[in-house]
Every structure is written in structure tokens, then in C-alpha cells.
Amino acid sequence: MKALDRKLLRDLRLMWSQAITIALVVASGVAGFIATFSAYDALSWSREVYYTEARFADVFAAVKRAPLALERQLAALPGAAHVETSLSEIVQVDIPNVSDPIIGRLIGIDPQRPPQLNRIHLREGRMVTARRDHTLEVLVSEGFAIGRKLKPGDRIRALVNSKREDLQIVGIALSPEYVFAGMGGSPDLRGFGVFWLDRQALAAAYNMEGAFNQVAVRLAPGASEGQVIAGLDRLLAPYGGTRSYGRDEQMSHRMLSSEIKEQRVMGTVLPSIFLAVAAFLLNVVLSRQIATQREQIAALKALGYDNWAIGLHYVKLVLLIVTLGILLGLAVGGWLGHWFSGLYADVFRFPELRYRVRPLLVLAATGLTLLAALGATWHAISATVSLAPAEAMRPPSPGRIRPSFVETWGLRAWFSPAVRMVLRTMQRRPLRTVLTILGIAASMAIVISGTFWRDTIDLLLHTQFRLVLRGDVIISLVEAAPARITHELARLPHVTAVEGTRSVSVRLVHGPLDWRGSVQGRTPDPQLQRIVDVAHRSFEPPADGLLLTDRLAERLHLKPGDTVRVELLEGRRQVLELPVMGTVQEMMGMGAYIERRSLNRLLQEGDVINSAALLVEPGHEAELLERLKSLPRVAAAFSKSVMLRNIEEITARNVLVFSAILTVFASIIAVGVVYNHARIALAERAWELASLRVLGFTRGEVSSFLLGELALEILLAIPLGLTGGYWLAAGIVQLIKTDEFFFPLIIRPPTYAYAAITVVAAGVASALIVRRRIDTLDLVGVLKTRE
């Protein structure tokens, strides 16, 4: 083994704790990069493979009732490569010994000719057959089957067109239309299920023989989606067509794409910051490490080693530390990525969630880390090895000693000699002091960016389920009914208040921009379904125009005072021009609000509603839900408590798990920054500290000179770190904002306190280690190094 290699191993042994903490910081960055990007790749790859194999449609449309004879005209639309029609109905589902409200979507299929678009993937059991006896055979979606522990052979019941029907499960299946399954944009594995059954039986139950109400279209290569949608709307309008839309508006695809976008952002921003901090640490550590070895470098040059050999020696030192971090990061990142994919499998159902860590991803993580490390340390290496032997033999020139601002401002009497020495040292090396403070502040900011998600999720759930939705049960009616039905609902047992809502499908148009969704008609002063913004301010629906969510206004380039064209997609399909009365920054979804009576007047209808919120006496919700199952006018019922539980079990759980892992990585970085600074400062000032001990200063007094500097730097870094954490979190929130969700930026005092405590704890732990080393300094050995 060469002499320089033996020196390298000796240096690593002496600085093993610093090397490990730096390797852990590198590992955190690499693991975060690999875990998030491999999970992103798993979702993207699984989606593309499944969509291709299942021939997922590009355009979708819904209609009230259209004759099968219309299929020829639909198939002849320019740009339509393949068109399929189907039947679909929403029903209430009843499982024995389960009181929770369950919504099911029945989809009719031909057992002899399975659909060629949105193909069904049979996971277990067999395909359905025609109706036999009084039982309908069904396939059930896998997520719901797992959530409710259903298997082939089980029987459940459904309210099919106001008639109780027995459904026998014969198989478990998947569909690309329901990779994500839920109602209202939140996953619901126990409250929403998809059921496929014989189309003829479904048509007979709803008097839909020879008709369809759903259309799926596969576009020809190069076809215009907008042209096909316009053609569908034109052909389906006479038959009650409500809306046609592209894949980007299809609920399952939209939610999956939103998650993929969030993964891409999280896999880019935070690991980049981790690697930047690791590069900063390497630069600081190596530059100071080299500075403490000036005499050794001079001796090596005197012995005949050239600059290249000495520079390569320190490059090897960097590579060994970084390689250890990279290997550890790749292992942890691969494991975490696979685990993340398992969490996503609870939300997104694929025939196979294809997880892989692509070689390109490994090369990217390795290459970026090595470039960051070598780039950050190259200047330190080149500046030192270029010194002439005689110059390197001499100790570094002492810094320019000037009175500190304490003496200059006449504050000398206010501070002890130890404090004045600390301030003088920091002022003599301003660049190093500033970099140290910035490094500690960056570590705090990273801790905040990993932990603020808990505050955000808590606020989101509190706002939506405590301030917005005050009712306990939401019911959807089979069809719009006079508002006086609220009096009937109010007479139901244990119902204490009722509030009716009218919603209608619309197309909002402003210039070349458009949006398809619904306008919500609310009561003048809503109490059970309120309109609340992120600042918890409540809004009333306007009587003479529309109140838009801010994201919808941004999408259509609208502002208060502008006029928007409202194309009603129901009833008489009027086209209205309404003013925008204001905007509201909501957390979930996009929508438009108007006073219910005004909406009904524009629709030229009486005062009608098609949904209602019910307030229920505590402890009697289950009884009411059971009673609602027997009401023929009620198409579906939703329990707020059940919806909240489902969100907490899946979505909130995944976010909080991810947050916890980020917090661990960020805490490692914080410890790495503070600990390395303390150790390096000890190595640099060992001669000074030993001299003070010889002059008669106690161990405690000597320690206070060094640790006081560290404490003051941490104290100065805390406000910078808190501010930086806020803006870093704000940037992440903006990057992951989607049409479905706006995560509010809320950082509560405990989160700031945790970040500060993490850094302070790292400082205390480092101080204890450094104090122990100061106490055990070999005074003779240290002082000899300058002779």
C-alpha cells in the first residue's frame, strides 16, 4: 500500500465521526431522490402499461338515454377510431351487518362480447352470466372487495331502480376507468364500489332496453380531441347529453396524474436541497481539513510528491466518504421506494404495480452527487496543493486583529472577556461565520419543509369537515324535487336541521377558455354546507352572479366584474351571461356558487333541490342511515364521519408517512451541519485552546470560548432558518398545486419549535462531544504541532 493511501486511511480513522455524518447527509439526499423518483416512475410506468393493455379510452360522455341506433353516427365521427356504448347507474348497496352508507356504480357488460375499450381485468373468480332466478351475478372492483373483505360467492343487496336486488359476487376485477375509485376526489375503498353485471339485466331493471347512457371513444392517431368532443356533444344533446370530456378530466386519471405530479416535484426539490447541503458540508469540511494539514502537505512536497498526487489523495478522501453515502442512499432509497409503491397500491389499483429502480436513475443520482461533491471541494483542494513547500511549512498568517464592534461602540463593560473573544473571532472571519450560519439555517429550513405537512393536513381536514361541511349526512336525490321535501326530511327521526342544494352541470366559457363542471345553488345563508376560504372566512352565494373558486377564475382568466358565458348542460340548455361577483380560495376542487333561488329562476324551474345536508343528533347517525335506505327518492347517502375516516386512513396516512421520512432525513442534515462545524472548529483552534489551558484558564472557560461561538451562530441562524423554512414550504405548496387540491400553507408554532429544538439538540450533543475532547486535550502534543 502506498504511503498516501495509508495516510488516507489514517485521516479517515481520525475523522470517522465527521465522515459518517457527511455520508449520512449524502445518503439522505440520494435516498430521497431514489425513493421519490422510483415511486414516481412506478406509478407512471404502471399507468402507461395498463392503459395500453386495457385500451383505455381517450374521450368520455354521459347521456340520459340514447338509442343504440345512434352508435353508427358516433362511430362515423371524424377522429374516432373506436366507439363503445354502455349502461351505468348509481345505486345504494347494502352489506349484511354493515350500517355505513355504501354507493355502488353498476356497469352493464355483454358476457359474450366483453368491452374492447376499458377492458376488464379479472383478478379472481369468473365472468358474469345472464340473470338466473332472482339473483344478479356481478364482478366487484378489487379495492372495494379488499376494503369490505368480499370474495366470490358472497351476496350483497342493492337498491336498483327503487327495488331491492340480490347481487352475487362471482369475480373480482379491475378497470382502467377506476384505477382510483372514490367519490368527490377522495379515495374510498369501503364506501364506493364498482359492479359489472349483465347488460341486458341492467337495461331491463331501468327500462333501458335498446339504449345506452355512457360513451367511450378511442381517438385515431393525430385526431383532435376537441373536435371529437364537439361532435359528441352535437349528437348527444337531443338525448340529454350532459357533458363530453377528455381523459384529463376523467376522475381516476386526473387523481392519478395529480399524484404523479406531486411525486415528481417532491423528488426534485427536496433531494436537490439535500445534495446542496451535502456539497456545502464537504466543501467546509475538506477546506478546513486541508488547512489543518498544511505542514503535512509541505512535507509531502518536500519528499517529491507533485500537486497531482496530493490533489488525487484528497479527491480519494472525498470519493470514499461520498461513495459510502451513495451506497447507503441507494439501498435505503430502493427500499423506501418499494415501500412507497406499496402505500400507493392501497389507493391506485393496477393489475401489477411495476416497481423498478432504473439504471439511469442510479446513474443520475450517483453522477449528480459526485459532481456536487467534487465541484464543492475542488477549489479547496487546488488552492492548498498549489502552495509552495516553504510557504505551506509556515503557519497561516494571523488574521487582521481589529477591535470588535463591542469595543468600538463602547459596550465593552456589558460583555465578559469570553464573549468579547468569541465576537472578535467571528468578526475576524466573517465569510466562514456567515457560511456556518447559513448552513445551520438551511438545515432548519429543511426540517420545517418536512414537518409542515402535518399542520397542513390537520388544517385541511378541520376546514372541510368542521367549518365547510357542518351537516352529518349528505343525501343525493334520484332527481330534482321541490324544496318542500326538506320539511319531510326534517321530520325523519333524529334529524335536527336540513339544508337543500341545487346543482346543475354547466360549461363556463370565457373567450377561448372553457371549463366543464357544476354550478352549486346554495341557500342565502348556508349553515350546513358553507363556503369557507383558507383563512376561514365564510362567503354567501351571490344572488345576481357567480362566486368562483380562485383556481377556476385563474384557469378562465376571470376577475370580479367580468362576464362569463354559462352553457347549461341540463334541462332546456339555456345559454346565460352572468357576472363574476367574486372569488374564494377554497382548498378542495374547483366550482361556482350562486343563490339557489336565483339558479332555479335562471333554469326556469320552481324552487327545487337535488341534494341536502342533514344535521343529526349525536349517536343516532346509524339509525338515520338505515332509515334513508328505504326512501325511494334518495339515490345515495354519505356520512361525514365515514368520509373523514376513509381520508385519514389512506390519503392523510400516506402524506404523514412521507412527512415523517422527510423529517428524519432533514434532522440528519441538521445534525450533520452542526456537529461538523463544532468538530472542525475544535481542530482549527486546538492550539489556541491548549495555549489558554497552559496560561491557567479552566476547562470550562476554555470550552466557553469555542462553544460560545457555536451557540451564538445557532442563535443567529434560528430566525433565518424559520424564515427560510416558511418560504421553502411556500414554494413546495405552489409547485404541487392542482385543480383538485390546494394545500394551505400553515406552519404552527410546534413545527417551528421542533425545527429549532432539532438544531439546538444537535448543538448540545456536539457541544458535549467537543467539551469532552477539550477536557482530554494533550497539551504538549497539540502545542508541539506549531514548533
Side-chain angles (χ1 to χ4, degrees), residues 438-516:
L438 290 178
I440 297 172
S443 68
M444 283 189 62
I446 294 173
V447 173
I448 292 171
S449 70
T451 54
F452 86 100
W453 291 103
R454 296 178 180 274
D455 301 335
T456 295
I457 292 296
D458 288 344
L459 177 65
L460 178 64
L461 296 181
H462 173 75
T463 301
Q464 292 303 123
F465 291 94
R466 297 290 183 270
L467 303 181
V468 173
L469 185 55
R470 286 182 166 180
D472 298 303
V473 175
I474 305 297
I475 65 169
S476 175
L477 303 179
V478 174
E479 58 184 15
R484 61 176 178 270
I485 195 177
T486 57
H487 300 300
E488 300 176 26
L489 295 172
R491 288 195 293 268
L492 290 173
H494 312 299
V495 174
T496 59
V498 179
E499 193 171 273
T501 300
R502 174 71 166 113
S503 63
V504 59
S505 296
V506 298
R507 177 172 178 256
L508 301 185
V509 182
H510 183 238
L513 305 173
D514 71 296
W515 171 80
R516 293 168 181 264

Side-chain angles (χ1 to χ4, degrees), residues 2 86 138 157 200 206 213 239 317 429 437 586 602 622 680 770-771:
K2 296 181 180 180
S86 63
V138 297
R157 304 193 77 191
Q200 291 185 356
Y206 284 91
N213 61 9
Y239 304 98
L317 178 67
R429 297 174 178 174
I437 292 172
E586 289 189 319
L602 294 171
I680 293 168
V770 170
R771 170 63 191 267

Side-chain angles (χ1 to χ4, degrees), residues 64 240-242 480 502-506 517-518 567-574 603 605 610:
K64 285 191 176 296
T242 55
R502 174 71 166 113
S503 63
V504 59
S505 296
V506 298
S518 65
E567 299 177 358
L568 299 173
L569 303 178
E570 297 180 15
R572 298 181 178 87
R573 297 178 175 270
Q574 302 99 312
L603 293 171
E605 299 175 342
N610 54 9

Side-chain angles (χ1 to χ4, degrees), residues 43 123 141-148 174 178-182 186-192 256 259 338-350 352-353 646-655 657:
L43 286 177
R123 297 281 269 185
S141 53
E142 183 182 56
F144 181 73
I146 294 174
R148 288 299 180 183
L174 297 173
Y178 299 100
V179 171
F180 173 93
S186 61
D188 193 346
L189 300 182
R190 297 191 297 184
F192 176 76
L256 178 55
E259 188 64 41
H338 191 271
W339 188 50
F340 283 164
S341 299
L343 294 177
Y344 286 128
D346 292 339
V347 181
F348 304 105
R349 311 304 303 187
F350 296 97
E352 179 184 1
L353 187 57
N646 291 336
I647 291 176
E648 289 176 335
E649 287 181 355
I650 300 176
T651 305
R653 179 202 65 186
N654 289 356
V655 171
V657 165

Side-chain angles (χ1 to χ4, degrees), residues 4-42:
L4 283 181
D5 292 335
R6 289 195 296 271
K7 177 182 180 301
L8 174 64
L9 295 177
R10 184 171 61 251
D11 288 344
L12 280 175
R13 187 176 67 251
L14 292 174
M15 58 177 295
W16 67 269
S17 59
Q18 295 166 263
I20 289 176
T21 54
I22 295 172
L24 288 175
V25 172
V26 173
S28 298
V30 173
F33 182 84
I34 293 293
T36 50
F37 256 97
S38 61
Y40 156 76
D41 180 59

